[in-house]
Amino acid sequence: MSLKNWRKLTIGGVNLEPGSALKNITASFRSGKKPVFNPDNCTNCFFCWVFCPENAIIVDREKITGINYDYCKGCGICENECPVEKEKPITMEDEPVEY
Amino acid sequence: MPAIEVLNGNSAAAEAVRQVNPDVAAVYPMIPASEITEKIASLAADGQIDTEILTVESEHSAMSSCIGASSAGGRVFTAAAARGLAAEHETLFIASSLRLPIVSAVVNGALSAPLNQNTDHSDSMAERDCGWIQIYSENPQEAYDNIIQAYKIAEHMEVRVPVMVALDGFVTSHSAENTIIEKGDEVAEFVGKFEPLYSLLDTDNPKTIGSGTGPDYYFEHKRNQLQGMINSRKIIKEVGKEFGDRFGRYYGFFESYKLDDAEFALLLMSSSCGTAKEAIDRLRSRGEKVGLLKLRVFRPFPVQELKETLAGLKALAVLDRVLTPGSVGGPVFNEIRCALYDLEKRPRIFPYVYGLGGRDIRMEHFEEIFADMREGQTKTAETGAAVRFINLREEDG
């Protein structure tokens, strides 16, 4: 992605493009671990969806279907809040860090 | 015909606001600026202006409301003083960074401690780097003229930078003088209709104002903001001339008083310039070649114009009405000495501090400074930039 020079910015830094925050792939700073989802163990209690601070739990037709890795920052709150005790549907796994 | 009225600085400022008729004024009373806010509230209550008055709970809220109202697309006014301006500190940066053409009267007053409500420039000089244009007024007439011009400067599409119009507390704000009040329709025509660059209320074109950014863009945004201040140099001059062409009183970055053949000169701002002119007249009648440069625009600092005007002097005394502990002289001195450094031949420049907390400066003090400068030519090389205090008691008296 090329970066704009200062002359191309709007006066006062006004953002004229609604919804453009989606273009900011905030997960670039996830480092070391990421949640991995296994739908077979999921009870669809939606705890992870409620607690996720980045709205990165994907829901389709009232069922949890996966993780949006563009915005997941790897905090692990989903795994921590998941009430399933054995064979958890969400587990934090090692992820190679790209520099 | 314009009317001549006997007005103090606060009333003159309120008259300018009445004629400019802003959409919104956020008001919070702070001595010595309270009278401006009270008069504007009265004008709105009497239906003489269309302004919506926001009575807020602090100056921080006043400037925050101004930022909101200006972002929404309105022409905005507020007035602040001393401790109140200090409370606005954070929000002043936001207003200038968002390039909102807000106009604020600043009635200069001292900062605590000790608690003191009289004038000096501690408040506005503490805000010299907040990105606002700063224009200083000598008397009620200039306060009135400067507020009218401030709107035209701030709202110019090449500028879009907020403007502070400063006047000295009590000495100017509460002292009545003959003041020419121009016809309302002429002032309205001069200032023109306000056109917002972006309006949050324009819901057909949604936008975000005041969003965040990281190290990858912040620096570029700051450089982009700076361009408004750079462009204002040209616009301030144009507006000052246009104001003169229409109303007969011309304005530039500064006023030169008997400087053409002067060997020694004073440089200061605001109300004390009136006394300085009297002192210079008296010295001139004795054949001394002395003059005054009354600085009107401190931000943007008129470097090039000052170099051209001051180069021929033997010595220059720069008088700051603020104490800046630990610095090499006051802020005006700093800027002037820095501006003239590149000249091949430049005057000796001496720093003075005067008038803190409303302390008088009188004719004899200006005469002492000129005498001091003459001696300083030969004896003060070793004292360098040591600031000298005017009318400070060194002994009981």
Short mmCIF file of all heavy atoms in Angstrom, two decimals, chain B residues 236-262:
data_model
loop_
_atom_site.label_atom_id
_atom_site.label_comp_id
_atom_site.label_asym_id
_atom_site.label_seq_id
_atom_site.Cartn_x
_atom_site.Cartn_y
_atom_site.Cartn_z
N ILE B 236 -3.44 38.01 5.75
CA ILE B 236 -3.49 39.03 6.81
C ILE B 236 -3.18 40.41 6.22
O ILE B 236 -3.84 41.41 6.52
CB ILE B 236 -2.51 38.68 7.95
CG1 ILE B 236 -3.00 37.46 8.72
CG2 ILE B 236 -2.32 39.87 8.90
CD1 ILE B 236 -1.98 36.85 9.67
N LYS B 237 -2.17 40.44 5.34
CA LYS B 237 -1.81 41.72 4.70
C LYS B 237 -2.94 42.21 3.79
O LYS B 237 -3.29 43.39 3.81
CB LYS B 237 -0.52 41.54 3.87
CG LYS B 237 0.73 41.75 4.69
CD LYS B 237 1.93 42.06 3.80
CE LYS B 237 2.51 40.80 3.20
NZ LYS B 237 3.86 41.00 2.62
N GLU B 238 -3.49 41.30 2.99
CA GLU B 238 -4.57 41.68 2.07
C GLU B 238 -5.79 42.20 2.82
O GLU B 238 -6.38 43.22 2.45
CB GLU B 238 -4.98 40.46 1.22
CG GLU B 238 -4.00 40.12 0.11
CD GLU B 238 -4.40 38.88 -0.66
OE1 GLU B 238 -5.54 38.38 -0.46
OE2 GLU B 238 -3.58 38.40 -1.45
N VAL B 239 -6.16 41.48 3.88
CA VAL B 239 -7.35 41.87 4.66
C VAL B 239 -7.11 43.22 5.33
O VAL B 239 -8.00 44.08 5.37
CB VAL B 239 -7.73 40.77 5.68
CG1 VAL B 239 -8.79 41.26 6.64
CG2 VAL B 239 -8.21 39.52 4.95
N GLY B 240 -5.89 43.43 5.85
CA GLY B 240 -5.56 44.72 6.49
C GLY B 240 -5.68 45.88 5.52
O GLY B 240 -6.15 46.97 5.87
N LYS B 241 -5.28 45.63 4.27
CA LYS B 241 -5.36 46.69 3.26
C LYS B 241 -6.81 46.91 2.83
O LYS B 241 -7.28 48.05 2.72
CB LYS B 241 -4.50 46.33 2.06
CG LYS B 241 -4.55 47.39 0.98
CD LYS B 241 -3.58 47.18 -0.14
CE LYS B 241 -3.64 48.33 -1.14
NZ LYS B 241 -4.98 48.66 -1.61
N GLU B 242 -7.52 45.82 2.63
CA GLU B 242 -8.92 45.91 2.21
C GLU B 242 -9.75 46.63 3.28
O GLU B 242 -10.63 47.44 2.97
CB GLU B 242 -9.46 44.50 1.98
CG GLU B 242 -10.73 44.45 1.15
CD GLU B 242 -11.23 43.02 0.98
OE1 GLU B 242 -10.40 42.08 0.93
OE2 GLU B 242 -12.46 42.85 0.91
N PHE B 243 -9.44 46.35 4.54
CA PHE B 243 -10.13 47.02 5.65
C PHE B 243 -9.86 48.52 5.60
O PHE B 243 -10.76 49.34 5.77
CB PHE B 243 -9.64 46.43 6.98
CG PHE B 243 -10.41 46.91 8.18
CD1 PHE B 243 -11.55 46.24 8.61
CD2 PHE B 243 -10.00 48.03 8.90
CE1 PHE B 243 -12.27 46.69 9.71
CE2 PHE B 243 -10.71 48.48 10.00
CZ PHE B 243 -11.85 47.80 10.40
N GLY B 244 -8.58 48.86 5.32
CA GLY B 244 -8.21 50.27 5.23
C GLY B 244 -8.89 50.96 4.07
O GLY B 244 -9.38 52.09 4.19
N ASP B 245 -8.92 50.29 2.91
CA ASP B 245 -9.56 50.89 1.73
C ASP B 245 -11.03 51.19 2.00
O ASP B 245 -11.57 52.18 1.52
CB ASP B 245 -9.46 49.92 0.54
CG ASP B 245 -8.03 49.84 0.00
OD1 ASP B 245 -7.22 50.72 0.35
OD2 ASP B 245 -7.74 48.88 -0.74
N ARG B 246 -11.68 50.34 2.76
CA ARG B 246 -13.10 50.51 3.01
C ARG B 246 -13.41 51.44 4.17
O ARG B 246 -14.29 52.28 4.11
CB ARG B 246 -13.76 49.14 3.25
CG ARG B 246 -15.27 49.20 3.30
CD ARG B 246 -15.84 47.85 3.62
NE ARG B 246 -16.06 47.02 2.44
CZ ARG B 246 -17.26 46.90 1.84
NH1 ARG B 246 -18.30 47.57 2.28
NH2 ARG B 246 -17.40 46.11 0.81
N PHE B 247 -12.63 51.27 5.27
CA PHE B 247 -12.98 51.99 6.50
C PHE B 247 -11.96 53.08 6.88
O PHE B 247 -12.16 53.80 7.85
CB PHE B 247 -13.15 51.01 7.66
CG PHE B 247 -14.23 49.98 7.43
CD1 PHE B 247 -13.92 48.63 7.37
CD2 PHE B 247 -15.55 50.36 7.24
CE1 PHE B 247 -14.90 47.67 7.16
CE2 PHE B 247 -16.55 49.41 7.03
CZ PHE B 247 -16.22 48.06 6.97
N GLY B 248 -10.82 53.13 6.18
CA GLY B 248 -9.88 54.22 6.43
C GLY B 248 -8.80 53.92 7.45
O GLY B 248 -7.94 54.76 7.70
N ARG B 249 -8.85 52.78 8.06
CA ARG B 249 -7.81 52.44 9.04
C ARG B 249 -7.06 51.21 8.51
O ARG B 249 -7.63 50.12 8.44
CB ARG B 249 -8.42 52.15 10.43
CG ARG B 249 -9.09 53.37 11.05
CD ARG B 249 -9.69 53.07 12.41
NE ARG B 249 -10.77 52.09 12.37
CZ ARG B 249 -12.01 52.33 11.96
NH1 ARG B 249 -12.36 53.54 11.58
NH2 ARG B 249 -12.92 51.37 11.94
N TYR B 250 -5.79 51.43 8.13
CA TYR B 250 -5.00 50.37 7.51
C TYR B 250 -4.23 49.56 8.56
O TYR B 250 -3.79 50.12 9.56
CB TYR B 250 -4.02 50.96 6.50
CG TYR B 250 -4.70 51.46 5.24
CD1 TYR B 250 -5.22 52.75 5.16
CD2 TYR B 250 -4.86 50.61 4.15
CE1 TYR B 250 -5.88 53.19 4.02
CE2 TYR B 250 -5.51 51.04 3.00
CZ TYR B 250 -6.01 52.33 2.94
OH TYR B 250 -6.66 52.75 1.81
N TYR B 251 -4.11 48.27 8.31
CA TYR B 251 -3.40 47.40 9.24
C TYR B 251 -2.41 46.51 8.50
O TYR B 251 -2.69 46.04 7.40
CB TYR B 251 -4.38 46.50 10.01
CG TYR B 251 -5.20 47.25 11.03
CD1 TYR B 251 -6.41 47.84 10.69
CD2 TYR B 251 -4.74 47.36 12.34
CE1 TYR B 251 -7.16 48.53 11.63
CE2 TYR B 251 -5.49 48.05 13.29
CZ TYR B 251 -6.69 48.64 12.93
OH TYR B 251 -7.42 49.32 13.86
N GLY B 252 -1.24 46.28 9.14
CA GLY B 252 -0.26 45.33 8.64
C GLY B 252 0.16 44.41 9.77
O GLY B 252 -0.55 44.28 10.77
N PHE B 253 1.35 43.82 9.63
CA PHE B 253 1.84 42.96 10.71
C PHE B 253 2.23 43.78 11.93
O PHE B 253 2.20 43.31 13.05
CB PHE B 253 3.06 42.17 10.24
CG PHE B 253 2.74 41.11 9.25
CD1 PHE B 253 3.27 41.13 7.98
CD2 PHE B 253 1.88 40.07 9.59
CE1 PHE B 253 2.98 40.13 7.06
CE2 PHE B 253 1.57 39.07 8.68
CZ PHE B 253 2.12 39.10 7.41
N PHE B 254 2.63 45.03 11.67
CA PHE B 254 3.05 45.90 12.77
C PHE B 254 2.88 47.34 12.34
O PHE B 254 2.63 47.64 11.17
CB PHE B 254 4.50 45.62 13.18
CG PHE B 254 5.47 45.55 12.02
CD1 PHE B 254 5.93 46.69 11.39
CD2 PHE B 254 5.92 44.31 11.56
CE1 PHE B 254 6.82 46.61 10.32
CE2 PHE B 254 6.81 44.23 10.50
CZ PHE B 254 7.26 45.38 9.87
N GLU B 255 2.98 48.24 13.34
CA GLU B 255 2.92 49.68 13.06
C GLU B 255 4.30 50.26 13.35
O GLU B 255 4.87 50.03 14.41
CB GLU B 255 1.87 50.34 13.98
CG GLU B 255 1.79 51.85 13.81
CD GLU B 255 0.90 52.50 14.88
OE1 GLU B 255 0.07 51.78 15.50
OE2 GLU B 255 1.06 53.71 15.11
N SER B 256 4.85 50.98 12.35
CA SER B 256 6.13 51.65 12.57
C SER B 256 5.85 53.08 13.01
O SER B 256 5.16 53.82 12.32
CB SER B 256 6.95 51.67 11.28
OG SER B 256 7.21 50.36 10.85
N TYR B 257 6.40 53.47 14.15
CA TYR B 257 6.17 54.83 14.65
C TYR B 257 7.51 55.56 14.73
O TYR B 257 8.36 55.24 15.54
CB TYR B 257 5.51 54.77 16.04
CG TYR B 257 5.07 56.12 16.56
CD1 TYR B 257 3.96 56.77 16.04
CD2 TYR B 257 5.79 56.75 17.57
CE1 TYR B 257 3.56 58.01 16.51
CE2 TYR B 257 5.41 58.00 18.05
CZ TYR B 257 4.30 58.61 17.51
OH TYR B 257 3.91 59.85 17.98
N LYS B 258 7.69 56.53 13.83
CA LYS B 258 8.90 57.36 13.78
C LYS B 258 10.17 56.51 13.69
O LYS B 258 11.18 56.78 14.34
CB LYS B 258 8.94 58.32 14.98
CG LYS B 258 7.69 59.19 15.02
CD LYS B 258 7.75 60.35 15.97
CE LYS B 258 6.48 61.20 15.80
NZ LYS B 258 6.38 62.28 16.76
N LEU B 259 10.10 55.47 12.88
CA LEU B 259 11.22 54.54 12.75
C LEU B 259 12.17 54.90 11.61
O LEU B 259 13.32 54.45 11.60
CB LEU B 259 10.71 53.11 12.50
CG LEU B 259 10.48 52.20 13.70
CD1 LEU B 259 10.11 50.81 13.21
CD2 LEU B 259 11.73 52.10 14.59
N ASP B 260 11.69 55.71 10.64
CA ASP B 260 12.43 55.87 9.39
C ASP B 260 13.89 56.26 9.59
O ASP B 260 14.78 55.68 9.00
CB ASP B 260 11.73 56.91 8.49
CG ASP B 260 10.48 56.31 7.87
OD1 ASP B 260 10.34 55.07 7.94
OD2 ASP B 260 9.65 57.07 7.34
N ASP B 261 14.14 57.27 10.45
CA ASP B 261 15.53 57.71 10.66
C ASP B 261 16.01 57.35 12.07
O ASP B 261 17.00 57.88 12.54
CB ASP B 261 15.62 59.22 10.45
CG ASP B 261 14.80 59.98 11.49
OD1 ASP B 261 13.86 59.36 12.06
OD2 ASP B 261 15.07 61.16 11.75
N ALA B 262 15.29 56.45 12.74
CA ALA B 262 15.61 56.16 14.15
C ALA B 262 16.91 55.37 14.28
O ALA B 262 17.24 54.54 13.44
CB ALA B 262 14.47 55.38 14.79
#
